[in-house]
Amino acid sequence: MVAELLALMLLRAQVAAMAAVLLVLLLRGPARSWIGARLAYRLWILVPAAVLASLFPSLSEALEAGAPAAPMGETHAITVLAAWMVGALVAAGIIVQQEVAFRRQARAGQAGPAVMGVLWPRIVLPCDFAERFDAEARRMVDLHERAHIQRGDPLANLAIAVGLALGWCNPLIHIGAVCARLDQELACDAQVLSLRPTLRKVYAEALVKAHAARTGSPLACFWAAHPLLLRVKLLAQPEPSEERHATGAVSIVGLAILTALVVWSVTPRGPMPPHFIWPGEVIEHQVDGINLPALRR
């Protein structure tokens, strides 16, 4: 029964993640135009909110309403969990392998500009950094990478990588991870340009030069992994007004709460857990409407 409940929780989480990713994919474009790239990136908080809500007992379970789901069977549930666990371990191994390869390139001066490391992030620069970038471009690159560290983006990348490993069998999780990383870079671009609004041309030129190298990892924050044309195009987008920014921030918090409530409300009822009989518990038996003498275990 435990394996069956775990398999049901896994299925719930995958479905909730798919629904939340679809919602964010629909909203991210209009949100970017209305409230700016920095707040639009925060829409991805809807995905963990939906997943966490799916793990709690649903509304139907709390009210004990509706028929419980048909039992999956202990053997079938164990098979599903084992297959998922093997896939998650393989996906995690691939992510670790990519990170090790990126660190090897960084030590050889063949990676970057990027931010590497989660707990102690540091800026990685290629060995030809001074030759490829002039003084103004180097300053913009430094601002961009420091903005990643200040915003906590390396930790967000770790969360995305964990989501990829746990949702390895979910295609929408992979699509969402790519789009979330793109939105992260757009948000970082917008933050840097809010500090240096007169240097948009210099920033665009630095982006073009940085895209000459396309090495990275799932945990690193690096420029070259994302569509250059879209990023340069969005550099001309003005910052939203303070009223829009405040309204957007409140709207995202409200949308995250609403998403969690909807997932909690519509999640179907799971199979009933077994009733454990403790020593000394009195059990009343009734057969054909006749109460039999109580038994004590």
Side-chain angles (χ1 to χ4, degrees), residues 125-175:
L125 299 173
C127 56
D128 60 347
F129 181 66
E131 289 76 21
R132 285 170 51 198
F133 298 89
D134 57 25
E136 282 292 337
R138 291 198 298 269
R139 188 154 62 94
M140 300 304 288
V141 169
D142 183 69
L143 285 173
H144 179 94
E145 304 303 347
R146 290 183 184 276
H148 272 306
I149 297 174
Q150 180 184 8
R151 289 160 42 86
D153 289 338
L155 190 60
N157 287 344
L158 176 62
I160 294 173
V162 171
L164 277 173
L166 298 180
W168 64 271
C169 55
N170 194 333
L172 276 176
I173 294 296
H174 293 266
I175 296 173

mmCIF file of all heavy atoms in Angstrom, residues 125-175:
data_model
loop_
_atom_site.group_PDB
_atom_site.id
_atom_site.type_symbol
_atom_site.label_atom_id
_atom_site.label_comp_id
_atom_site.label_asym_id
_atom_site.label_seq_id
_atom_site.Cartn_x
_atom_site.Cartn_y
_atom_site.Cartn_z
ATOM 1 N N LEU A 125 35.832 33.295 -16.751
ATOM 2 C CA LEU A 125 36.131 34.060 -17.961
ATOM 3 C C LEU A 125 37.051 33.254 -18.867
ATOM 4 O O LEU A 125 37.928 32.528 -18.380
ATOM 5 C CB LEU A 125 36.804 35.391 -17.608
ATOM 6 C CG LEU A 125 35.983 36.355 -16.733
ATOM 7 C CD1 LEU A 125 36.836 37.550 -16.336
ATOM 8 C CD2 LEU A 125 34.727 36.794 -17.452
ATOM 9 N N PRO A 126 36.891 33.360 -20.188
ATOM 10 C CA PRO A 126 37.792 32.646 -21.100
ATOM 11 C C PRO A 126 39.170 33.294 -21.115
ATOM 12 O O PRO A 126 39.345 34.459 -20.717
ATOM 13 C CB PRO A 126 37.089 32.785 -22.461
ATOM 14 C CG PRO A 126 36.290 34.034 -22.342
ATOM 15 C CD PRO A 126 35.844 34.118 -20.903
ATOM 16 N N CYS A 127 40.136 32.542 -21.577
ATOM 17 C CA CYS A 127 41.518 33.049 -21.570
ATOM 18 C C CYS A 127 41.705 34.227 -22.531
ATOM 19 O O CYS A 127 42.614 35.039 -22.343
ATOM 20 C CB CYS A 127 42.489 31.919 -21.914
ATOM 21 S SG CYS A 127 42.156 31.099 -23.484
ATOM 22 N N ASP A 128 40.857 34.341 -23.563
ATOM 23 C CA ASP A 128 40.975 35.448 -24.516
ATOM 24 C C ASP A 128 39.984 36.565 -24.216
ATOM 25 O O ASP A 128 39.588 37.332 -25.103
ATOM 26 C CB ASP A 128 40.777 34.945 -25.943
ATOM 27 C CG ASP A 128 39.413 34.295 -26.149
ATOM 28 O OD1 ASP A 128 38.721 34.008 -25.140
ATOM 29 O OD2 ASP A 128 39.030 34.074 -27.315
ATOM 30 N N PHE A 129 39.553 36.661 -22.962
ATOM 31 C CA PHE A 129 38.515 37.629 -22.599
ATOM 32 C C PHE A 129 38.958 39.053 -22.898
ATOM 33 O O PHE A 129 38.203 39.862 -23.447
ATOM 34 C CB PHE A 129 38.181 37.469 -21.114
ATOM 35 C CG PHE A 129 37.111 38.398 -20.616
ATOM 36 C CD1 PHE A 129 35.806 38.289 -21.067
ATOM 37 C CD2 PHE A 129 37.416 39.386 -19.686
ATOM 38 C CE1 PHE A 129 34.814 39.143 -20.603
ATOM 39 C CE2 PHE A 129 36.434 40.242 -19.214
ATOM 40 C CZ PHE A 129 35.135 40.113 -19.674
ATOM 41 N N ALA A 130 40.189 39.412 -22.547
ATOM 42 C CA ALA A 130 40.672 40.779 -22.754
ATOM 43 C C ALA A 130 40.797 41.121 -24.233
ATOM 44 O O ALA A 130 40.641 42.292 -24.622
ATOM 45 C CB ALA A 130 42.017 40.970 -22.052
ATOM 46 N N GLU A 131 41.096 40.120 -25.082
ATOM 47 C CA GLU A 131 41.231 40.378 -26.515
ATOM 48 C C GLU A 131 39.863 40.497 -27.203
ATOM 49 O O GLU A 131 39.700 41.306 -28.121
ATOM 50 C CB GLU A 131 42.037 39.262 -27.185
ATOM 51 C CG GLU A 131 43.517 39.253 -26.832
ATOM 52 C CD GLU A 131 43.777 38.691 -25.446
ATOM 53 O OE1 GLU A 131 42.901 37.959 -24.922
ATOM 54 O OE2 GLU A 131 44.848 38.985 -24.866
ATOM 55 N N ARG A 132 38.884 39.704 -26.773
ATOM 56 C CA ARG A 132 37.573 39.701 -27.428
ATOM 57 C C ARG A 132 36.693 40.868 -27.019
ATOM 58 O O ARG A 132 35.846 41.317 -27.790
ATOM 59 C CB ARG A 132 36.853 38.388 -27.112
ATOM 60 C CG ARG A 132 37.382 37.187 -27.873
ATOM 61 C CD ARG A 132 36.802 35.907 -27.332
ATOM 62 N NE ARG A 132 35.350 35.954 -27.235
ATOM 63 C CZ ARG A 132 34.621 35.117 -26.489
ATOM 64 N NH1 ARG A 132 35.228 34.176 -25.780
ATOM 65 N NH2 ARG A 132 33.320 35.209 -26.458
ATOM 66 N N PHE A 133 36.871 41.382 -25.802
ATOM 67 C CA PHE A 133 35.997 42.427 -25.286
ATOM 68 C C PHE A 133 36.809 43.677 -24.951
ATOM 69 O O PHE A 133 37.883 43.582 -24.345
ATOM 70 C CB PHE A 133 35.286 41.942 -24.010
ATOM 71 C CG PHE A 133 34.400 40.743 -24.219
ATOM 72 C CD1 PHE A 133 34.909 39.452 -24.106
ATOM 73 C CD2 PHE A 133 33.060 40.892 -24.522
ATOM 74 C CE1 PHE A 133 34.104 38.348 -24.284
ATOM 75 C CE2 PHE A 133 32.238 39.789 -24.705
ATOM 76 C CZ PHE A 133 32.757 38.511 -24.588
ATOM 77 N N ASP A 134 36.273 44.834 -25.333
ATOM 78 C CA ASP A 134 36.919 46.082 -24.942
ATOM 79 C C ASP A 134 36.545 46.421 -23.500
ATOM 80 O O ASP A 134 35.822 45.670 -22.833
ATOM 81 C CB ASP A 134 36.536 47.216 -25.896
ATOM 82 C CG ASP A 134 35.034 47.438 -25.979
ATOM 83 O OD1 ASP A 134 34.312 47.085 -25.012
ATOM 84 O OD2 ASP A 134 34.556 47.949 -27.010
ATOM 85 N N ALA A 135 37.033 47.546 -23.009
ATOM 86 C CA ALA A 135 36.852 47.887 -21.592
ATOM 87 C C ALA A 135 35.378 48.032 -21.221
ATOM 88 O O ALA A 135 34.933 47.547 -20.166
ATOM 89 C CB ALA A 135 37.609 49.176 -21.279
ATOM 90 N N GLU A 136 34.577 48.707 -22.075
ATOM 91 C CA GLU A 136 33.158 48.892 -21.779
ATOM 92 C C GLU A 136 32.416 47.550 -21.782
ATOM 93 O O GLU A 136 31.587 47.283 -20.911
ATOM 94 C CB GLU A 136 32.529 49.841 -22.807
ATOM 95 C CG GLU A 136 32.822 51.301 -22.567
ATOM 96 C CD GLU A 136 32.146 51.820 -21.299
ATOM 97 O OE1 GLU A 136 31.149 51.217 -20.855
ATOM 98 O OE2 GLU A 136 32.631 52.810 -20.730
ATOM 99 N N ALA A 137 32.717 46.716 -22.764
ATOM 100 C CA ALA A 137 32.065 45.409 -22.839
ATOM 101 C C ALA A 137 32.444 44.544 -21.645
ATOM 102 O O ALA A 137 31.601 43.824 -21.100
ATOM 103 C CB ALA A 137 32.444 44.717 -24.148
ATOM 104 N N ARG A 138 33.715 44.615 -21.234
ATOM 105 C CA ARG A 138 34.136 43.834 -20.057
ATOM 106 C C ARG A 138 33.373 44.278 -18.814
ATOM 107 O O ARG A 138 32.998 43.465 -17.973
ATOM 108 C CB ARG A 138 35.644 43.965 -19.842
ATOM 109 C CG ARG A 138 36.488 43.281 -20.891
ATOM 110 C CD ARG A 138 37.911 43.064 -20.402
ATOM 111 N NE ARG A 138 38.590 44.322 -20.125
ATOM 112 C CZ ARG A 138 39.314 45.001 -21.016
ATOM 113 N NH1 ARG A 138 39.442 44.531 -22.247
ATOM 114 N NH2 ARG A 138 39.909 46.130 -20.680
ATOM 115 N N ARG A 139 33.113 45.574 -18.716
ATOM 116 C CA ARG A 139 32.362 46.082 -17.564
ATOM 117 C C ARG A 139 30.916 45.585 -17.596
ATOM 118 O O ARG A 139 30.349 45.218 -16.567
ATOM 119 C CB ARG A 139 32.400 47.613 -17.569
ATOM 120 C CG ARG A 139 31.813 48.240 -16.310
ATOM 121 C CD ARG A 139 32.423 49.614 -16.092
ATOM 122 N NE ARG A 139 32.109 50.512 -17.198
ATOM 123 C CZ ARG A 139 31.067 51.358 -17.187
ATOM 124 N NH1 ARG A 139 30.272 51.404 -16.138
ATOM 125 N NH2 ARG A 139 30.849 52.139 -18.202
ATOM 126 N N MET A 140 30.316 45.527 -18.781
ATOM 127 C CA MET A 140 28.948 45.036 -18.896
ATOM 128 C C MET A 140 28.872 43.541 -18.580
ATOM 129 O O MET A 140 27.925 43.077 -17.928
ATOM 130 C CB MET A 140 28.403 45.313 -20.304
ATOM 131 C CG MET A 140 28.368 46.781 -20.685
ATOM 132 S SD MET A 140 27.421 47.798 -19.526
ATOM 133 C CE MET A 140 25.761 47.299 -19.898
ATOM 134 N N VAL A 141 29.861 42.795 -19.048
ATOM 135 C CA VAL A 141 29.895 41.363 -18.730
ATOM 136 C C VAL A 141 30.005 41.155 -17.232
ATOM 137 O O VAL A 141 29.312 40.316 -16.644
ATOM 138 C CB VAL A 141 31.068 40.679 -19.471
ATOM 139 C CG1 VAL A 141 31.279 39.260 -18.949
ATOM 140 C CG2 VAL A 141 30.810 40.655 -20.965
ATOM 141 N N ASP A 142 30.869 41.931 -16.597
ATOM 142 C CA ASP A 142 31.046 41.810 -15.152
ATOM 143 C C ASP A 142 29.748 42.151 -14.413
ATOM 144 O O ASP A 142 29.362 41.452 -13.463
ATOM 145 C CB ASP A 142 32.171 42.736 -14.705
ATOM 146 C CG ASP A 142 32.457 42.617 -13.214
ATOM 147 O OD1 ASP A 142 32.968 41.559 -12.790
ATOM 148 O OD2 ASP A 142 32.150 43.570 -12.468
ATOM 149 N N LEU A 143 29.043 43.194 -14.850
ATOM 150 C CA LEU A 143 27.771 43.555 -14.228
ATOM 151 C C LEU A 143 26.742 42.445 -14.403
ATOM 152 O O LEU A 143 25.982 42.137 -13.475
ATOM 153 C CB LEU A 143 27.242 44.861 -14.835
ATOM 154 C CG LEU A 143 27.944 46.150 -14.397
ATOM 155 C CD1 LEU A 143 27.415 47.325 -15.213
ATOM 156 C CD2 LEU A 143 27.729 46.401 -12.918
ATOM 157 N N HIS A 144 26.722 41.859 -15.584
ATOM 158 C CA HIS A 144 25.759 40.792 -15.864
ATOM 159 C C HIS A 144 25.995 39.581 -14.961
ATOM 160 O O HIS A 144 25.057 39.058 -14.348
ATOM 161 C CB HIS A 144 25.864 40.385 -17.333
ATOM 162 C CG HIS A 144 24.941 39.285 -17.721
ATOM 163 N ND1 HIS A 144 23.698 39.503 -18.268
ATOM 164 C CD2 HIS A 144 25.064 37.927 -17.642
ATOM 165 C CE1 HIS A 144 23.096 38.352 -18.498
ATOM 166 N NE2 HIS A 144 23.916 37.378 -18.135
ATOM 167 N N GLU A 145 27.229 39.152 -14.871
ATOM 168 C CA GLU A 145 27.522 37.967 -14.064
ATOM 169 C C GLU A 145 27.336 38.242 -12.575
ATOM 170 O O GLU A 145 26.862 37.375 -11.829
ATOM 171 C CB GLU A 145 28.949 37.480 -14.345
ATOM 172 C CG GLU A 145 29.247 37.173 -15.807
ATOM 173 C CD GLU A 145 28.305 36.148 -16.414
ATOM 174 O OE1 GLU A 145 27.560 35.480 -15.679
ATOM 175 O OE2 GLU A 145 28.301 36.027 -17.649
ATOM 176 N N ARG A 146 27.675 39.434 -12.134
ATOM 177 C CA ARG A 146 27.447 39.778 -10.727
ATOM 178 C C ARG A 146 25.957 39.865 -10.415
ATOM 179 O O ARG A 146 25.533 39.553 -9.294
ATOM 180 C CB ARG A 146 28.158 41.089 -10.381
ATOM 181 C CG ARG A 146 29.666 40.966 -10.365
ATOM 182 C CD ARG A 146 30.334 42.265 -9.945
ATOM 183 N NE ARG A 146 31.787 42.134 -10.024
ATOM 184 C CZ ARG A 146 32.543 41.612 -9.067
ATOM 185 N NH1 ARG A 146 31.971 41.178 -7.947
ATOM 186 N NH2 ARG A 146 33.846 41.525 -9.212
ATOM 187 N N ALA A 147 25.176 40.284 -11.405
ATOM 188 C CA ALA A 147 23.722 40.325 -11.211
ATOM 189 C C ALA A 147 23.176 38.917 -11.017
ATOM 190 O O ALA A 147 22.259 38.700 -10.213
ATOM 191 C CB ALA A 147 23.053 41.017 -12.395
ATOM 192 N N HIS A 148 23.705 37.944 -11.760
ATOM 193 C CA HIS A 148 23.297 36.550 -11.572
ATOM 194 C C HIS A 148 23.531 36.109 -10.122
ATOM 195 O O HIS A 148 22.673 35.475 -9.500
ATOM 196 C CB HIS A 148 24.085 35.639 -12.506
ATOM 197 C CG HIS A 148 23.463 35.476 -13.862
ATOM 198 N ND1 HIS A 148 22.167 35.063 -14.044
ATOM 199 C CD2 HIS A 148 23.989 35.637 -15.108
ATOM 200 C CE1 HIS A 148 21.903 34.992 -15.338
ATOM 201 N NE2 HIS A 148 22.991 35.339 -16.005
ATOM 202 N N ILE A 149 24.707 36.437 -9.599
ATOM 203 C CA ILE A 149 25.038 36.026 -8.233
ATOM 204 C C ILE A 149 24.134 36.734 -7.231
ATOM 205 O O ILE A 149 23.614 36.119 -6.289
ATOM 206 C CB ILE A 149 26.526 36.316 -7.951
ATOM 207 C CG1 ILE A 149 27.414 35.493 -8.891
ATOM 208 C CG2 ILE A 149 26.863 36.014 -6.491
ATOM 209 C CD1 ILE A 149 28.893 35.808 -8.783
ATOM 210 N N GLN A 150 23.931 38.028 -7.426
ATOM 211 C CA GLN A 150 23.105 38.805 -6.508
ATOM 212 C C GLN A 150 21.664 38.293 -6.494
ATOM 213 O O GLN A 150 21.014 38.269 -5.445
ATOM 214 C CB GLN A 150 23.148 40.279 -6.895
ATOM 215 C CG GLN A 150 22.326 41.186 -5.994
ATOM 216 C CD GLN A 150 22.325 42.618 -6.481
ATOM 217 O OE1 GLN A 150 22.809 42.933 -7.563
ATOM 218 N NE2 GLN A 150 21.769 43.502 -5.670
ATOM 219 N N ARG A 151 21.164 37.885 -7.647
ATOM 220 C CA ARG A 151 19.781 37.431 -7.753
ATOM 221 C C ARG A 151 19.586 35.992 -7.258
ATOM 222 O O ARG A 151 18.465 35.527 -7.112
ATOM 223 C CB ARG A 151 19.338 37.498 -9.222
ATOM 224 C CG ARG A 151 19.148 38.889 -9.764
ATOM 225 C CD ARG A 151 19.187 38.908 -11.291
ATOM 226 N NE ARG A 151 18.441 37.790 -11.841
ATOM 227 C CZ ARG A 151 17.120 37.815 -12.068
ATOM 228 N NH1 ARG A 151 16.432 38.902 -11.772
ATOM 229 N NH2 ARG A 151 16.519 36.772 -12.578
ATOM 230 N N GLY A 152 20.674 35.277 -7.020
ATOM 231 C CA GLY A 152 20.564 33.888 -6.584
ATOM 232 C C GLY A 152 20.253 32.929 -7.712
ATOM 233 O O GLY A 152 19.712 31.838 -7.473
ATOM 234 N N ASP A 153 20.616 33.285 -8.937
ATOM 235 C CA ASP A 153 20.303 32.433 -10.090
ATOM 236 C C ASP A 153 21.011 31.083 -10.064
ATOM 237 O O ASP A 153 20.442 30.091 -10.537
ATOM 238 C CB ASP A 153 20.621 33.174 -11.393
ATOM 239 C CG ASP A 153 19.631 34.300 -11.663
ATOM 240 O OD1 ASP A 153 18.510 34.245 -11.108
ATOM 241 O OD2 ASP A 153 19.969 35.227 -12.430
ATOM 242 N N PRO A 154 22.244 30.955 -9.547
ATOM 243 C CA PRO A 154 22.837 29.611 -9.472
ATOM 244 C C PRO A 154 22.005 28.638 -8.644
ATOM 245 O O PRO A 154 21.875 27.464 -9.002
ATOM 246 C CB PRO A 154 24.204 29.873 -8.825
ATOM 247 C CG PRO A 154 24.541 31.270 -9.218
ATOM 248 C CD PRO A 154 23.239 32.001 -9.186
ATOM 249 N N LEU A 155 21.411 29.113 -7.557
ATOM 250 C CA LEU A 155 20.551 28.254 -6.749
ATOM 251 C C LEU A 155 19.278 27.900 -7.512
ATOM 252 O O LEU A 155 18.789 26.769 -7.426
ATOM 253 C CB LEU A 155 20.212 28.943 -5.427
ATOM 254 C CG LEU A 155 19.521 28.093 -4.369
ATOM 255 C CD1 LEU A 155 20.400 26.908 -3.983
ATOM 256 C CD2 LEU A 155 19.191 28.924 -3.142
ATOM 257 N N ALA A 156 18.758 28.847 -8.283
ATOM 258 C CA ALA A 156 17.587 28.558 -9.119
ATOM 259 C C ALA A 156 17.922 27.508 -10.174
ATOM 260 O O ALA A 156 17.096 26.629 -10.476
ATOM 261 C CB ALA A 156 17.089 29.839 -9.784
ATOM 262 N N ASN A 157 19.133 27.567 -10.726
ATOM 263 C CA ASN A 157 19.537 26.565 -11.711
ATOM 264 C C ASN A 157 19.625 25.175 -11.087
ATOM 265 O O ASN A 157 19.329 24.175 -11.742
ATOM 266 C CB ASN A 157 20.883 26.948 -12.329
ATOM 267 C CG ASN A 157 20.753 28.126 -13.277
ATOM 268 O OD1 ASN A 157 19.656 28.476 -13.709
ATOM 269 N ND2 ASN A 157 21.873 28.755 -13.580
ATOM 270 N N LEU A 158 20.056 25.118 -9.826
ATOM 271 C CA LEU A 158 20.081 23.831 -9.134
ATOM 272 C C LEU A 158 18.660 23.285 -8.995
ATOM 273 O O LEU A 158 18.431 22.086 -9.205
ATOM 274 C CB LEU A 158 20.731 23.982 -7.763
ATOM 275 C CG LEU A 158 20.743 22.729 -6.884
ATOM 276 C CD1 LEU A 158 21.537 21.610 -7.548
ATOM 277 C CD2 LEU A 158 21.312 23.045 -5.506
ATOM 278 N N ALA A 159 17.709 24.151 -8.648
ATOM 279 C CA ALA A 159 16.320 23.709 -8.535
ATOM 280 C C ALA A 159 15.781 23.234 -9.881
ATOM 281 O O ALA A 159 15.061 22.227 -9.957
ATOM 282 C CB ALA A 159 15.455 24.850 -7.991
ATOM 283 N N ILE A 160 16.140 23.922 -10.959
ATOM 284 C CA ILE A 160 15.711 23.501 -12.297
ATOM 285 C C ILE A 160 16.317 22.150 -12.646
ATOM 286 O O ILE A 160 15.642 21.273 -13.212
ATOM 287 C CB ILE A 160 16.097 24.566 -13.336
ATOM 288 C CG1 ILE A 160 15.311 25.865 -13.091
ATOM 289 C CG2 ILE A 160 15.845 24.057 -14.753
ATOM 290 C CD1 ILE A 160 15.754 27.025 -13.960
ATOM 291 N N ALA A 161 17.593 21.965 -12.314
ATOM 292 C CA ALA A 161 18.251 20.687 -12.608
ATOM 293 C C ALA A 161 17.619 19.548 -11.817
ATOM 294 O O ALA A 161 17.435 18.436 -12.339
ATOM 295 C CB ALA A 161 19.749 20.786 -12.295
ATOM 296 N N VAL A 162 17.271 19.794 -10.554
ATOM 297 C CA VAL A 162 16.588 18.772 -9.757
ATOM 298 C C VAL A 162 15.234 18.441 -10.381
ATOM 299 O O VAL A 162 14.844 17.268 -10.463
ATOM 300 C CB VAL A 162 16.424 19.250 -8.301
ATOM 301 C CG1 VAL A 162 15.521 18.304 -7.515
ATOM 302 C CG2 VAL A 162 17.782 19.353 -7.621
ATOM 303 N N GLY A 163 14.517 19.474 -10.821
ATOM 304 C CA GLY A 163 13.250 19.232 -11.499
ATOM 305 C C GLY A 163 13.408 18.420 -12.768
ATOM 306 O O GLY A 163 12.566 17.566 -13.085
ATOM 307 N N LEU A 164 14.485 18.657 -13.509
ATOM 308 C CA LEU A 164 14.750 17.876 -14.721
ATOM 309 C C LEU A 164 14.993 16.407 -14.392
ATOM 310 O O LEU A 164 14.524 15.516 -15.099
ATOM 311 C CB LEU A 164 15.961 18.445 -15.460
ATOM 312 C CG LEU A 164 15.724 19.630 -16.385
ATOM 313 C CD1 LEU A 164 17.048 20.174 -16.891
ATOM 314 C CD2 LEU A 164 14.831 19.242 -17.558
ATOM 315 N N ALA A 165 15.757 16.175 -13.326
ATOM 316 C CA ALA A 165 16.039 14.788 -12.954
ATOM 317 C C ALA A 165 14.785 14.080 -12.466
ATOM 318 O O ALA A 165 14.523 12.935 -12.846
ATOM 319 C CB ALA A 165 17.128 14.757 -11.877
ATOM 320 N N LEU A 166 13.988 14.748 -11.636
ATOM 321 C CA LEU A 166 12.784 14.119 -11.103
ATOM 322 C C LEU A 166 11.695 13.978 -12.171
ATOM 323 O O LEU A 166 10.878 13.059 -12.106
ATOM 324 C CB LEU A 166 12.243 14.929 -9.922
ATOM 325 C CG LEU A 166 13.170 15.039 -8.711
ATOM 326 C CD1 LEU A 166 12.527 15.868 -7.617
ATOM 327 C CD2 LEU A 166 13.538 13.660 -8.183
ATOM 328 N N GLY A 167 11.677 14.887 -13.128
ATOM 329 C CA GLY A 167 10.678 14.823 -14.199
ATOM 330 C C GLY A 167 11.268 14.392 -15.520
ATOM 331 O O GLY A 167 10.834 14.873 -16.576
ATOM 332 N N TRP A 168 12.225 13.492 -15.488
ATOM 333 C CA TRP A 168 12.934 13.081 -16.707
ATOM 334 C C TRP A 168 11.994 12.494 -17.758
ATOM 335 O O TRP A 168 12.265 12.577 -18.964
ATOM 336 C CB TRP A 168 14.001 12.046 -16.346
ATOM 337 C CG TRP A 168 13.432 10.762 -15.795
ATOM 338 C CD1 TRP A 168 13.165 10.489 -14.482
ATOM 339 C CD2 TRP A 168 13.029 9.595 -16.524
ATOM 340 N NE1 TRP A 168 12.639 9.238 -14.341
ATOM 341 C CE2 TRP A 168 12.532 8.654 -15.578
ATOM 342 C CE3 TRP A 168 13.037 9.251 -17.876
ATOM 343 C CZ2 TRP A 168 12.054 7.404 -15.948
ATOM 344 C CZ3 TRP A 168 12.565 7.994 -18.248
ATOM 345 C CH2 TRP A 168 12.081 7.091 -17.298
ATOM 346 N N CYS A 169 10.879 11.911 -17.335
ATOM 347 C CA CYS A 169 9.949 11.288 -18.267
ATOM 348 C C CYS A 169 8.863 12.244 -18.739
ATOM 349 O O CYS A 169 7.957 11.841 -19.472
ATOM 350 C CB CYS A 169 9.295 10.073 -17.607
ATOM 351 S SG CYS A 169 8.486 10.465 -16.032
ATOM 352 N N ASN A 170 8.936 13.498 -18.344
ATOM 353 C CA ASN A 170 7.900 14.478 -18.637
ATOM 354 C C ASN A 170 8.431 15.473 -19.673
ATOM 355 O O ASN A 170 9.245 16.330 -19.336
ATOM 356 C CB ASN A 170 7.501 15.199 -17.350
ATOM 357 C CG ASN A 170 6.217 15.989 -17.493
ATOM 358 O OD1 ASN A 170 5.871 16.430 -18.571
ATOM 359 N ND2 ASN A 170 5.516 16.158 -16.396
ATOM 360 N N PRO A 171 7.998 15.405 -20.934
ATOM 361 C CA PRO A 171 8.551 16.307 -21.958
ATOM 362 C C PRO A 171 8.346 17.781 -21.637
ATOM 363 O O PRO A 171 9.208 18.606 -21.936
ATOM 364 C CB PRO A 171 7.782 15.907 -23.230
ATOM 365 C CG PRO A 171 7.241 14.553 -22.965
ATOM 366 C CD PRO A 171 7.018 14.463 -21.498
ATOM 367 N N LEU A 172 7.219 18.123 -21.025
ATOM 368 C CA LEU A 172 6.967 19.526 -20.719
ATOM 369 C C LEU A 172 7.929 20.074 -19.671
ATOM 370 O O LEU A 172 8.223 21.273 -19.656
ATOM 371 C CB LEU A 172 5.522 19.699 -20.244
ATOM 372 C CG LEU A 172 4.476 19.852 -21.353
ATOM 373 C CD1 LEU A 172 3.080 19.914 -20.777
ATOM 374 C CD2 LEU A 172 4.755 21.092 -22.191
ATOM 375 N N ILE A 173 8.440 19.213 -18.802
ATOM 376 C CA ILE A 173 9.434 19.653 -17.831
ATOM 377 C C ILE A 173 10.709 20.086 -18.551
ATOM 378 O O ILE A 173 11.330 21.098 -18.203
ATOM 379 C CB ILE A 173 9.737 18.538 -16.820
ATOM 380 C CG1 ILE A 173 8.504 18.242 -15.965
ATOM 381 C CG2 ILE A 173 10.904 18.924 -15.921
ATOM 382 C CD1 ILE A 173 8.066 19.379 -15.088
ATOM 383 N N HIS A 174 11.097 19.341 -19.570
ATOM 384 C CA HIS A 174 12.302 19.696 -20.332
ATOM 385 C C HIS A 174 12.094 21.001 -21.096
ATOM 386 O O HIS A 174 12.995 21.852 -21.141
ATOM 387 C CB HIS A 174 12.662 18.557 -21.284
ATOM 388 C CG HIS A 174 13.113 17.313 -20.588
ATOM 389 N ND1 HIS A 174 14.441 17.032 -20.343
ATOM 390 C CD2 HIS A 174 12.408 16.277 -20.070
ATOM 391 C CE1 HIS A 174 14.541 15.872 -19.708
ATOM 392 N NE2 HIS A 174 13.324 15.398 -19.532
ATOM 393 N N ILE A 175 10.921 21.169 -21.709
ATOM 394 C CA ILE A 175 10.627 22.422 -22.406
ATOM 395 C C ILE A 175 10.600 23.577 -21.421
ATOM 396 O O ILE A 175 11.151 24.658 -21.674
ATOM 397 C CB ILE A 175 9.277 22.308 -23.147
ATOM 398 C CG1 ILE A 175 9.366 21.241 -24.243
ATOM 399 C CG2 ILE A 175 8.867 23.651 -23.742
ATOM 400 C CD1 ILE A 175 8.039 20.950 -24.918
#
